[in-house]
Amino acid sequence: MKLFLKIFILAFALLSFTSANAVTIKWLHLNAENSPNMPGILKAVAEYEAKTGNTVELQYLENESFKAKLPTMLQSNDRPDIFYSWSGGVMYDQARAGFLRDVSGVVSDDYLSTLSAAAANAFTFEGQRVGIPTHVAQVAWWYNKDLVNQAGVDVSKIIYWEDLLEAVKQIKSAGITPICLGGKDKWPVHFIWTHLHIRNGGQDLFLESLNNGGWGRPEYVKSGEQMLELVALEPFQKGYLAATWPDQAGMFGDGKCAMALMGNWMYGSQAANSASGEGLGDDNMGMFNMPATKGGLGDPGDTLGGINGWLFSSSAPDEAVELIMHYVSKETQSVDAANGAYIPVVKGADTSIKNPFLKQVAGNIANSKYHQIFYDQFLGADIGRVVNDVSTDLAAGIISPEEATAQVQESWEFNQ
Amino acid sequence: MKTNMRTYYMYLFLFLMAATIFIPLYVSVMGGFKTVGELRTNALGLPSNWNFDNYLSILSNNKFWLYLWNSVVYAIGTTFFVLLFASMTAFVFAHVKFAGNRFLYNYFLLGLLFPFATAILPLFLRVRDFGLLGTSWAVILPQIAFGLGFAIILFRGFFKQMPSELFDAAFVDGCTYAQFYFRFTLPLSTPILATVSVITLTGSWNNYLLPLIMINDESLYSWPMGIMVFRGEYFTDWSKVLAYVSLTLVPAVIFFFALQKFIVAGLTGGAVKE
Amino acid sequence: MKSQKFDVILNRYSTLIIFLIPALTVFTLFVVLPIGEAAYYSFYRWNGYGYPEKFVGFKNYAYLFKNRVFIMSLKNNFYIIALSLFVQLPFALLVALMISDKIKGATFFRTIFFLPYILAEIVAGLIWAYIYDGNYGLVAAIWGFFGIDPIFMVGDKDLALIAILIVIFWKYFGIHMMIYIAGLQAISKEVLEAAKVDGAGPFTIAWRIKIPILLPTIRLSVFLSILGSLQLFDIIMPLTGGGPSNVTHSMVTYLYYFGVMRMKFGFGSAVGVIIFLICFTIAIAYQRILMRND
C-alpha cells in the first residue's frame, strides 16, 4: 500500500511539474458552431497545442450577450486572454482603462510585415499594439439580378445617388419591394446614413468632427435629407421596423426584395436564413458600391466596413500572442478565404479567394484610400448607439436631418 | 334553467380563456418538432413530420444537462437559505417584541422596491471584491438577498396567524424562542414553506441577468444562458430555440404540479390576510 | 425569580441576535449597500471600467428630466399599471370567483392560467416575439387565414405597446388569480351558507360578501402589481427592445439600454435611484392611506 502511495505521489508530482510549465490560454469568440470561421480556428488550435504542449480553452458568447458582459468580464479573474473586437471606440475605451496589453514586444516586425498595414494599424492605440486583425469587411448594395432585370433596371448605370432613387422608383412600380431592411436591430439602418456621410464629407471632415465636434455640419445634414428622399419613396418591406437582421437576410435570400445595403457577410447569411437554406445562388446575386453624391467631398472609392480582430487582455501571456500569430497566417487565411469565410488581412491570402463577391470586396478595400470602420463601433458604445437610433428614426420618418445630427453632437459632447 | 345557461356561459368563457393562454405554449412545444421553414408556413398545426432532431440533439448534448444542473444548484442553494434566514427573521418579527421591530421589518421591504438592473455594477464590484466571482456564491448570495423581502412578508403573515395559546403554553413550560421555533413553528409551517419554496425556486430558475453578469466560466452557466448558445451572431434557429425553451419548461411545471396544493394553502394560511 | 427574568431577557436578546444576523448581513451587503453605491455613482460619469472618477453632480438627473425617451418610459410604466389595475386584476378576480367554487375542472383551469407565470420572462418574451412576427409567426398565420395583410404590431409605433401589454396580461394574470383564490377559499363557509339560506344569488354573494371580505387580499395584490409593473424588464427586451424608435421603454429597460449598454453607469444609476424613489414613495403612500398593508 505504502509503495503504491509513493508511486502515486511521484507520478502526480511529475505530472504537476510538466503541466506547471504548460500554459492555458483562454480564447473568447463569437462564432456559432456552424460558422465558417470555426474550422480554421479549430485547426490552428490543434496545431498549436500539439506544437507547444499548451492548452487552449475556447469560449463562445453570443453577440449581444458578449457586448453586455464585456465590462464586467474584463475585470474578473476569469477574463479571457484573447477576445473578439471590432476595433474603434470600444477598443479605445478598453485600452484607456488599462484592460488591454501592449504586445508590441511580442509581435515581431517580420510578422507585422505579413499583414496589411491598414488592418494592423486599426489595432493600435496611442502607439501601443493591443491586438491583431483577422479580417476586413465592406458594406455595399447587394441586389437580386432576376428582380432587378424584371424591373428593367441596369445597375451599371447607377453612378449617383439620384440614379439609385430612380432605380428604386422603377423597381417599386414593377410591384417589387425595392429594399429589405432590418429596422428592429437598427445597425443595418445606420449603414445608409453613415455611408452617405462618407460620400458627402469624406475622411478629413470625419476626423475633424471626431476630434473637435461639429457633427451638425451641412454635409451631414445633407445625408439626412438624402436619406429622407429615399424613405419618401417607401422602398422598404412591410413591417421593416419590426424586422431583425436575420429576417432581412432571410427575406433577401428568399427573393422577396431587390436590394439590401449590407456587409459582405450577407453572402453566407442570406443562404443560412432563407426558407430553403439555399438562398439566391451566386448567379442571381450582384453587388455594387454606394453611389457617389454630387458635390460630395468624399471619393466614390471610399469604403465603409469593418476591420475585425482579436484583442489581448492585460493579463494575457506571450503564448496567447503566439497562438494568434499562428492562427492569422497566410496558410490558415488562404484556406478560410477560399471557403468564403471572410476577407483576409494577410498579404497574399486574398489571391485564394474563389468567391467572386469576396474578391470584389477585397479589391474595393485594397483600392480604397479611406476605409471607415462602422460608425457604431468606431464612435464607441454610447455615440455609436445614438447613431443607430437616429438612423432608424430617420428611416421611420420621425425626426428631421437637423435633429439627427444634433443628437449625435450632443452625445459626442457628453462623452468628452 | 337560468342557472344552466349561466354555467354554460361560464364554462365557455373559461375554455376560451384557457385556450388563448395555452396556445402560445402549445405553439412553442410543437415548434420544436418542426423545421425552421415549416415554422413559417405551418405555425398553428401539428408538425407534418415529427422532427425529433431538435429535441434529441438538445437532450443528448451534455452541455444542456450541465446548464440544467447548475440552475438546480443555484435554485436549491438560494431556496434553502431563503427558507432558513427568512423564516428565522420573520419569526422574530412575529413573536418577539422589541424596539425597532417595525423599523427593521420595513428595512427588509426595501428589497422589493429596487430593480435589480440598477444594482448590476455595484453588486458585481462587491462580489468581485469578496473574491466570489466565478463561484456559485456569486449567483446564490445576491439571489438570497433579493428574495428575502417577499419571503419575510409571507412568513410573518403566516406566523402571526398561529394561535397564540400554543405560544403561551410553551412559554410557561420554559420553552425558549429557539426551541419553539424548531419544535413548533417549522413543523406547522409546511404550507408556507412550500409557497416560499415555489416562488424562490421559480425566481432563481428563471433568473437570466444575474448569472450572465456573474459567471464567465461556461461550466457554471445556468440554462437561460444556454439559449444564446443556440442563437448565433447572424442566425437564429427558431425551432431549436423553441425546443430548448420547451424542455426547460418541464422542471418548472413539475415543481408546480408537485407543490400546487401547498401554494394555495400557504397563501390562505394567513399571508394574504395581512 | 431574578434568574428566571434574566434568563428570559437573555433568551430574547440572544434569539434576536442569532436569528436576525444572517438575513441582516446578507441583505445589507447585497441589497442595501449596492443601493447606496448606486446613489453614489449617480453623481458621476463612469464607463464601468475601474472606479468612477468624473464627478458631475446632478447633471445626470437634470438630463433625465428633460429627456423625451425617459419621460415616455415613465408614461409607459403608468400605462402598464393602469392595465394591471383596471383590466388584469378585475379579470383575475372574475376568474377566481368562478373557479374557487370547486366546480368541475377547477384544478385544470387553475393550472393552465398559472402556467405562464412560471415561465422565465425572457422565454415568454421570445415565444411572443415569434408569435407576433408579421411574416412567419402565429399572428401572420391568423391574419393570412382571414385574407388580410398582417399587421406588424411589434414594429408599429402605435401598436407596439399594446402588443407588450397583451403579453404582460398573459403572463401575470395567473398569479393574481391564485392570490384571490387563496383569499376566497379562506372565507368561512358559515357566512356563505347563511347568505345562501337568505336567498342571495351568486352575483349578490360575490358582490356583497366575497369581495368585501377579500379587500385586504385585493390591496396586497394591487400593491404587488404596482411594484411589479414599475420594475418590468425581461419581458420587453426580446419583444421590442424598447423600440420602435424607443417608444416602448419601461424605466428599467431605459436604464439598461441607455445606461448599461452604452457604458454610462453613472447615468444608469441615476435612473435606478429615481425608480427606487418612486417605488418608495408609493410604498409609503400605500401604507399611510390604506394603513393596514405592510
Side-chain angles (χ1 to χ4, degrees):
Chain A
M1 213 43 209
K2 266 208 172 142
L3 182 63
F4 178 75
L5 201 59
K6 282 200 186 129
I7 295 178
F8 182 74
I9 295 178
L10 189 61
F12 187 71
L14 275 173
L15 266 170
S16 323
F17 181 70
T18 42
S19 58
N21 283 338
V23 177
T24 309
I25 304 172
K26 292 202 199 121
W27 186 354
L28 174 61
H29 67 92
L30 306 186
N31 299 313
E33 279 170 39
N34 56 357
S35 155
N37 295 329
M38 281 317 283
I41 292 183
L42 292 172
K43 180 155 178 276
V45 165
E47 286 168 1
Y48 178 80
E49 282 180 330
K51 193 171 70 163
T52 61
N54 295 325
T55 329
V56 178
E57 266 175 34
L58 283 173
Q59 193 189 357
Y60 164 70
L61 271 183
E62 179 259 329
N63 197 337
E64 284 301 317
S65 306
F66 170 72
K67 288 177 186 159
K69 268 174 83 69
L70 214 39
T72 54
M73 201 171 53
L74 288 177
Q75 301 185 64
S76 83
N77 289 331
D78 266 338
R79 60 177 163 264
D81 299 312
I82 306 168
F83 61 97
Y84 192 67
S85 172
W86 293 266
S87 72
V90 174
M91 182 183 89
Y92 301 153
D93 277 341
Q94 292 162 345
R96 263 187 227 116
F99 285 106
L100 302 178
R101 183 190 155 180
D102 183 358
V103 297
S104 331
V106 191
V107 178
S108 63
D109 287 339
D110 278 343
Y111 177 75
L112 261 184
S113 61
T114 65
L115 302 174
S116 120
N121 282 338
F123 280 85
T124 59
F125 175 73
E126 288 177 1
Q128 300 174 25
R129 184 166 304 279
V130 289
I132 292 181
T134 178
H135 66 262
V136 292
Q138 185 208 355
V139 172
W141 284 100
W142 288 80
Y143 67 93
N144 178 322
K145 284 192 178 155
D146 269 347
L147 294 181
V148 156
N149 288 338
Q150 254 182 60
V153 167
D154 182 357
V155 299
S156 60
K157 299 249 170 61
I158 301 182
I159 318 278
Y160 290 107
W161 178 251
E162 290 73 16
D163 302 327
L164 181 63
L165 295 178
E166 268 309 307
V168 166
K169 277 191 214 149
Q170 245 184 293
I171 297 174
K172 188 146 178 151
S173 52
I176 304 172
T177 308
I179 303 177
C180 297
L181 192 63
K184 186 166 177 218
D185 286 347
K186 298 190 191 179
W187 57 263
V189 189
H190 100 292
F191 288 160
I192 305 180
W193 195 51
T194 55
H195 214 320
L196 284 169
H197 280 352
I198 292 175
R199 291 287 181 261
N200 287 330
Q203 183 173 32
D204 293 336
L205 216 58
F206 178 76
L207 288 174
E208 176 61 25
S209 310
L210 182 67
N211 294 322
N212 301 327
W215 292 93
R217 336 171 163 266
E219 290 83 0
Y220 294 146
V221 173
K222 185 167 162 215
S223 311
E225 289 165 2
Q226 289 168 324
M227 190 162 161
L228 285 184
E229 286 168 16
L230 178 65
V231 174
L233 298 177
E234 292 185 4
F236 309 120
Q237 81 275 14
K238 256 181 122 350
Y240 63 98
L241 286 175
T244 58
W245 149 243
D247 290 336
Q248 177 185 8
M251 234 179 255
F252 185 74
D254 286 339
K256 298 244 173 83
C257 62
M259 306 187 283
L261 182 64
M262 186 42 69
N264 51 265
W265 57 83
M266 173 64 117
Y267 177 73
S269 301
Q270 56 89 28
N273 281 291
S274 63
S276 60
E278 298 289 317
L280 288 182
D282 285 11
D283 295 333
N284 199 8
M285 280 194 293
M287 244 175 52
F288 63 90
N289 289 337
M290 175 64 104
T293 56
K294 298 203 173 119
L297 299 171
D299 190 295
D302 293 339
T303 47
L304 169 68
I307 302 178
N308 301 353
W310 305 98
L311 291 180
F312 301 104
S313 69
S314 52
S315 54
D318 288 356
E319 285 81 355
V321 186
E322 287 159 15
L323 170 61
I324 296 294
M325 290 199 289
H326 176 85
Y327 168 60
V328 182
S329 61
K330 187 156 172 206
E331 220 180 86
T332 319
Q333 294 234 318
S334 303
V335 172
D336 282 345
N339 287 333
Y342 52 73
I343 297 169
V345 295
V346 171
K347 293 179 188 158
D350 51 343
T351 53
S352 310
I353 302 178
K354 296 203 196 88
N355 183 298
F357 301 104
L358 294 188
K359 260 206 164 82
Q360 196 179 339
V361 167
N364 288 340
I365 298 180
N367 294 331
S368 158
K369 293 188 219 93
Y370 168 41
H371 182 71
Q372 175 60 53
I373 295 179
F374 314 110
Y375 273 45
D376 71 347
Q377 287 300 329
F378 197 71
L379 295 176
D382 187 14
I383 312 178
R385 287 193 193 261
V386 172
V387 170
N388 284 348
D389 276 357
V390 304
S391 305
T392 315
D393 285 349
L394 279 170
I398 61 174
I399 59 172
S400 71
E402 288 82 12
E403 283 169 339
T405 53
Q407 281 188 43
V408 176
Q409 173 66 16
E410 193 190 340
S411 177
W412 180 88
E413 281 169 10
F414 188 83
N415 279 290
Q416 287 317 297
Chain B
M1 286 310 108
K2 239 188 182 177
T3 341
N4 275 350
M5 277 314 274
R6 205 185 287 137
T7 323
Y8 172 73
Y9 279 127
M10 189 183 75
Y11 271 107
L12 185 63
F13 172 73
L14 285 174
F15 266 113
L16 280 176
M17 283 229 47
T20 335
I21 302 251
F22 191 67
I23 286 184
L25 297 171
Y26 159 79
V27 163
S28 317
V29 175
M30 288 298 122
F33 288 113
K34 302 179 184 165
T35 59
V36 177
E38 197 191 341
L39 273 181
R40 298 166 177 182
T41 50
N42 177 22
L44 257 186
L46 288 172
S48 52
N49 287 326
W50 288 79
N51 179 4
F52 285 93
D53 282 348
N54 290 325
Y55 281 106
L56 282 178
S57 75
I58 296 175
L59 285 171
S60 60
N61 188 338
N62 282 333
K63 284 193 191 158
F64 172 70
W65 297 105
L66 176 64
Y67 300 155
L68 269 192
W69 173 250
N70 290 331
S71 288
V72 168
V73 169
Y74 298 146
I76 295 192
T78 310
T79 309
F80 174 74
F81 285 108
V82 166
L83 287 179
L84 188 62
F85 292 173
S87 64
M88 286 182 359
T89 315
F91 178 77
V92 166
F93 288 147
H95 293 308
V96 182
K97 297 188 188 45
F98 64 102
N101 184 324
R102 196 81 197 170
F103 170 75
L104 271 182
Y105 180 57
N106 286 329
Y107 178 71
F108 278 104
L109 296 187
L110 277 182
L112 290 176
L113 306 178
F114 198 56
F116 173 71
T118 322
I120 296 182
L121 236 347
L123 209 48
F124 171 80
L125 291 174
R126 165 125 305 109
V127 167
R128 184 196 65 180
D129 292 342
F130 276 11
L132 294 173
L133 256 195
T135 65
S136 308
W137 293 108
V139 173
I140 295 180
L141 283 173
Q143 282 186 169
I144 298 174
F146 275 89
L148 281 175
F150 194 52
I152 291 179
I153 295 183
L154 290 178
F155 275 126
R156 178 173 173 270
F158 188 84
F159 291 162
K160 279 205 151 167
Q161 287 297 113
M162 293 176 70
S164 53
E165 301 88 42
L166 196 61
F167 201 69
D168 297 336
F171 233 41
V172 161
D173 281 347
C175 184
T176 62
Y177 282 114
Q179 286 168 326
F180 187 80
Y181 171 75
F182 284 110
R183 276 206 230 126
F184 293 100
T185 315
L186 282 187
L188 289 174
S189 302
T190 328
I192 195 66
L193 284 170
T195 310
V196 174
S197 298
V198 168
I199 295 183
T200 316
L201 281 169
T202 316
S204 170
W205 186 255
N206 292 335
N207 199 339
Y208 170 66
L209 205 50
L210 180 63
L212 181 68
I213 300 291
M214 296 292 175
I215 305 290
N216 289 314
D217 188 350
E218 205 189 315
S219 65
L220 286 176
Y221 278 7
S222 59
W223 74 262
M225 297 174 80
I227 293 186
M228 61 170 183
V229 175
F230 295 100
R231 304 175 75 193
E233 177 171 338
Y234 294 125
F235 179 51
T236 302
D237 188 341
W238 266 128
S239 49
K240 261 220 172 112
V241 172
L242 288 176
Y244 186 86
V245 152
S246 306
L247 280 175
T248 53
L249 268 184
V250 171
V253 172
I254 295 181
F255 288 157
F256 174 66
F257 270 112
L259 296 173
Q260 64 154 317
K261 265 183 283 180
F262 294 115
I263 301 180
V264 178
L267 288 174
T268 319
V272 289
K273 280 203 176 144
E274 273 273 345
Chain C
M1 276 295 127
K2 234 189 189 174
S3 70
Q4 203 181 24
K5 193 150 189 222
F6 178 70
D7 280 336
V8 170
I9 298 180
L10 184 69
N11 178 25
R12 189 199 288 183
Y13 283 108
S14 59
T15 313
L16 265 184
I17 296 176
I18 298 176
F19 273 48
L20 282 182
I21 288 206
L24 263 180
T25 323
V26 176
F27 186 74
T28 308
L29 276 179
F30 293 100
V31 177
V32 181
L33 286 185
I35 299 181
E37 283 158 8
Y40 174 71
Y41 297 149
S42 69
F43 296 114
Y44 284 81
R45 213 188 83 201
W46 183 37
N47 65 359
Y49 290 117
Y51 284 101
E53 278 161 22
K54 202 159 182 216
F55 184 76
V56 293
F58 280 97
K59 247 205 197 156
N60 288 330
Y61 291 98
Y63 178 78
L64 271 177
F65 288 122
K66 289 182 299 177
N67 186 260
R68 168 183 68 96
V69 179
F70 180 67
I71 294 180
M72 171 131 9
S73 66
L74 259 176
K75 267 198 237 161
N76 287 338
N77 271 111
F78 284 113
Y79 285 140
I80 296 174
I81 293 180
L83 167 94
S84 303
L85 294 186
F86 298 122
V87 178
Q88 189 177 328
L89 261 50
F91 232 79
L93 189 55
L94 183 64
V95 173
L97 282 169
M98 285 185 195
I99 301 187
S100 65
D101 270 338
K102 300 241 183 348
I103 56 172
K104 254 195 267 188
T107 320
F108 167 75
F109 285 119
R110 228 169 47 183
T111 316
I112 302 259
F113 292 147
F114 195 65
L115 272 180
Y117 177 72
I118 44 184
L119 275 181
E121 287 198 339
I122 188 157
V123 167
L126 276 177
I127 294 180
W128 279 88
Y130 164 70
I131 293 179
Y132 278 133
D133 189 319
N135 287 311
Y136 309 120
L138 192 57
V139 152
I142 296 180
W143 290 129
F145 184 72
F146 288 113
I148 322 176
D149 263 344
I151 303 179
F152 290 77
M153 282 188 96
V154 167
D156 185 315
K157 273 184 291 125
D158 304 311
L159 296 179
L161 191 62
I162 298 182
I164 293 182
L165 291 175
I166 293 179
V167 182
I168 293 177
F169 179 93
W170 179 80
K171 188 160 198 306
Y172 294 107
F173 157 83
I175 181 77
H176 292 285
M177 179 200 72
M178 282 302 240
I179 293 182
Y180 293 145
I181 291 181
L184 283 170
Q185 288 187 344
I187 297 182
S188 70
K189 302 281 181 280
E190 294 96 38
V191 174
L192 292 176
E193 284 304 317
K196 274 207 197 120
V197 162
D198 279 350
F203 284 129
T204 329
I205 293 186
W207 188 247
R208 290 275 176 82
I209 300 182
K210 289 185 180 174
I211 293 186
I213 298 187
L214 214 48
L215 274 179
T217 311
I218 298 183
R219 279 204 286 268
L220 176 70
S221 153
V222 167
F223 182 65
L224 291 176
S225 173
I226 295 181
L227 284 186
S229 304
L230 286 168
Q231 301 195 17
L232 221 48
F233 168 72
D234 280 351
I235 227 178
I236 297 184
M237 293 303 279
L239 275 175
T240 60
S245 304
N246 293 323
V247 298
T248 58
H249 275 297
S250 68
M251 286 192 290
V252 186
T253 62
Y254 179 85
L255 189 167
Y256 188 72
Y257 190 73
F258 288 88
V260 177
M261 280 173 106
R262 296 202 180 174
M263 315 271 268
K264 286 158 68 167
F265 289 99
F267 179 69
S269 299
V271 178
V273 169
I274 292 192
I275 297 176
F276 173 72
L277 288 175
I278 294 181
C279 289
F280 190 70
T281 314
I282 292 185
I284 301 263
Y286 215 74
Q287 203 174 342
R288 292 282 161 82
I289 297 176
L290 296 165
M291 273 188 299
R292 295 218 321 164
N293 205 0
D294 294 343

